[in-house]
Structure formats: C-alpha cells, structure tokens
Amino acid sequence: MVNGVTGVNLQPNPYGNIRRAGMLKNGRVLYNVVDSNGKDAGKLTVPQKQADTFEKAYNDILVTAPKIQKYVEENSSEDDLRRRRIKTQSIVTLGGTLGAFIPLVLTWNKSVMKKIFSVGLGIFAGLGTGFAAAFISSMPPGTYKFEKASQTLNSLDIQPVMEEKDS
C-alpha cells in the first residue's frame, strides 16, 4: 500500500490520512478520513476505476506538502525575500537583454525596420522566458507535483458520505 492510504496501521501525519474501508454496492471505494490526531473525520467515496489515481494523487500531496512547508519556513525571512527579489530581477533583465541582443546580432546587415521588429519581438520573448525562469527558480521543491496532484483530485468524482445521526 502507499504511504497515506492504508488498510490497517496509520502512521501519524500532520496532514491527516485516509484509510481504504472497502467497496460499496454501487461500485465505489469507501475511504475513512482520519485527522492529524488520528480521529475519524468523515468518509468519502471514489469510483473504483479512479481509486488508484485518487490514492496516488493523495500521496503525492502528502509527500510534497512537508517539503513546501519546510521551504516556506526556512526561506521567509526579510533577507531571503530580498535575495529572491534580486534574483528574479536579474533573471528577467538577463532574459530581456539576451532577447534584444541575439536578434540584433542576427539582423546586423538587414534593414532598420527588420532590426526594430526583430529586437522588439526578441525583447518580448526574452522577458517572457525570463519571467518563466524566475518563477520556476523561486518555487519551493515539489510545487509542480503538488499542483498536478491537486488538479487531479479536483477532476475526480469524490463524494462525501453523509452519516445519518440518530435522534
């Protein structure tokens, strides 16, 4: 079984766990949701054909969430923020500069209009590439995997099970 989804013993987890509890008559897999203190927090169901996808996405979140939290805790001081801001500005500036310089060199013997047009497009492409590179370089480790798992969970047919209370 995978880390956060289990049928028996649950390891304490600050983000909670889910426990596969069985199958329902309608073909859905039943899971017990367990909070971070080990207490039952509810139940949910997933179609049987989506159960493996659900479990993998859930475990991807359990694996990446502590990494993201640790990164945020270690890199949220004023000095860290200032360094990331300078790094981002440097990457974007470098991208824009290269975006202008490369087309200028390649169109050196061309007409002025071709130079202006190619340099303008180069700057635009360089700045876009710089912003993308700066964004990627400043993300906590595991962010992409976490986001992909979140999108996967959002696309699944996950339904809560409402328990009837005795009056």
Side-chain angles (χ1 to χ4, degrees), residues 2 52 69 80 117 139 159:
V2 284
D52 290 339
Q69 183 176 359
D80 293 325
F117 184 70
M139 286 190 333
Q159 296 180 359

Side-chain angles (χ1 to χ4, degrees), residues 30-44:
L30 176 67
Y31 293 95
N32 290 327
V33 180
V34 180
D35 69 12
S36 60
N37 297 322
K39 296 178 182 171
D40 285 336
K43 296 179 181 184
L44 56 91

Side-chain angles (χ1 to χ4, degrees), residues 7 9-10 29 31 44 51 68 70 87 90 105 111 119 146 149 153-154 161 164 166:
N9 299 335
L10 291 175
V29 179
Y31 293 95
L44 56 91
I68 294 170
K70 181 181 176 189
K87 180 181 174 182
S90 300
V105 169
S111 70
V119 169
F146 183 91
L153 288 176
N154 286 334
V161 175
E164 296 178 19
D166 295 331

Side-chain angles (χ1 to χ4, degrees), residues 111-153:
S111 70
V112 174
M113 287 308 292
K114 284 186 180 180
K115 284 182 188 178
I116 292 172
F117 184 70
S118 64
V119 169
L121 285 177
I123 290 172
F124 183 73
L127 288 174
T129 303
F131 278 116
F135 178 73
I136 290 169
S137 71
S138 65
M139 286 190 333
T143 301
Y144 176 75
K145 191 175 185 179
F146 183 91
E147 182 59 29
K148 188 176 176 185
S150 295
Q151 288 176 359
T152 299
L153 288 176

